[in-house]
Amino acid sequence: MEHPLFANQFLQRRQFPSDGMLAATLTRLATNPGLQQLGRQTDSIFQDSEMLKNGLEGMFKHIRYNFPDFRVPPVKTFVSGLSQDMFVNDSLMVLGLDFFVGDKAKYRPNVPEYILRRYRPEYVLPTAALAISSKYNKKELTNQTMLGEMVQYGKSLYFAERVLPCTADSLLIGYTDKELQGVYFNEGKIWAHFLDKKLLYNTAPFTVQKYVGERPNIPEIDKTCPGRIGAWVGWQIVRKYMAEHPNVTLAQLMADKNPQHILTESHYRPRPRRAER
């Protein structure tokens, strides 16, 4: 096997009775006419491989600056047949680029439109950064509150912001420009909803997911309020905390398991404002 790490970790080689069975499965995929067409489209969109390579190298450089123990994994690109968009661990990164071809692809991931719009070329690096953030993003495993989940997501977004410093907020959070302008302008109203409804310390998983999970919108706040608004608010809390504590490193932030400490020390007080960046 020419690429044993890729075969063992991403393709899960052990699930196949033999290497021959794995090879036969890959051959069926590679000779599928529809997948061949998708492969050609993927090659066309990502034909400037140096651009992707330079973007990854820049991201890895920022990660290593903040986390000297970070070991850059080998990176493989793959036309997965829309089976998996990304795989990241300490020893391997696989980018399923066929997920990120965009609107012109003959075949696209079978997900709702509000998620589908994040499967475009410009989202490869933000998706990778958010995936890597999980390695460093520590949390308490008990007593999961709304605030805890909000800050947890906020730390991931802040991590991505720091390692991709020239990336627009809209690409990091996956909102349209109009949605982002709306949430910045209505930040006070959004925060008031969390306080008025006493949501911050709610531990009901269904309620928590309504505000931090994938949804097209959150009508409980407003029909124009985009999903995952809790993650966005958590991001603003973390940003304010880091602005208030310039000596706190990114590594220290990611290791902080106490969301109440981050909220209290952030002195977070939203005000209506224009969209940033």
Side-chain angles (χ1 to χ4, degrees), residues 110-125:
N110 185 25
V111 295
E113 178 59 35
Y114 65 94
I115 298 175
L116 189 63
R117 69 186 182 215
R118 305 202 296 267
Y119 282 124
R120 299 201 302 268
E122 59 268 33
Y123 282 94
V124 173
L125 291 179

Side-chain angles (χ1 to χ4, degrees), residues 76-96:
K76 306 293 183 183
T77 59
F78 187 56
V79 177
S80 70
L82 301 179
S83 63
Q84 187 170 351
D85 59 353
M86 195 162 294
F87 174 89
V88 179
N89 66 14
D90 289 343
S91 55
L92 180 67
M93 172 182 283
V94 180
L95 309 177

Side-chain angles (χ1 to χ4, degrees), residues 13 19 28 99 106 112 126 141 148 167 203 207 222:
R13 184 181 186 180
D19 285 352
R28 283 197 299 272
F99 270 82
K106 180 175 178 60
L141 299 179
T167 302
T203 58
T207 302
D222 188 271

Side-chain angles (χ1 to χ4, degrees), residues 198-218:
K198 297 180 171 57
L199 293 172
L200 292 185
Y201 305 104
N202 192 305
T203 58
F206 178 74
T207 302
V208 172
Q209 281 304 303
K210 282 203 303 183
Y211 289 90
V212 301
E214 295 283 9
R215 293 175 77 188
N217 53 42
I218 301 182

Side-chain angles (χ1 to χ4, degrees), residues 114-179:
Y114 65 94
I115 298 175
L116 189 63
R117 69 186 182 215
R118 305 202 296 267
Y119 282 124
R120 299 201 302 268
E122 59 268 33
Y123 282 94
V124 173
L125 291 179
T127 303
L130 290 169
I132 294 172
S133 75
S134 63
K135 171 180 172 64
Y136 301 103
N137 200 352
K138 307 303 180 184
K139 66 184 292 187
E140 291 291 350
L141 299 179
T142 58
N143 190 32
Q144 296 299 307
T145 64
M146 179 80 74
L147 176 63
E149 292 298 295
M150 291 166 66
V151 170
Q152 187 74 6
Y153 280 102
K155 289 196 296 176
S156 287
L157 287 161
Y158 187 80
F159 175 97
E161 173 185 353
R162 287 283 294 272
V163 303
L164 295 172
C166 297
T167 302
D169 287 2
S170 57
L171 295 180
L172 296 174
I173 187 70
Y175 287 171
T176 65
D177 290 340
K178 183 178 180 180
E179 287 173 338

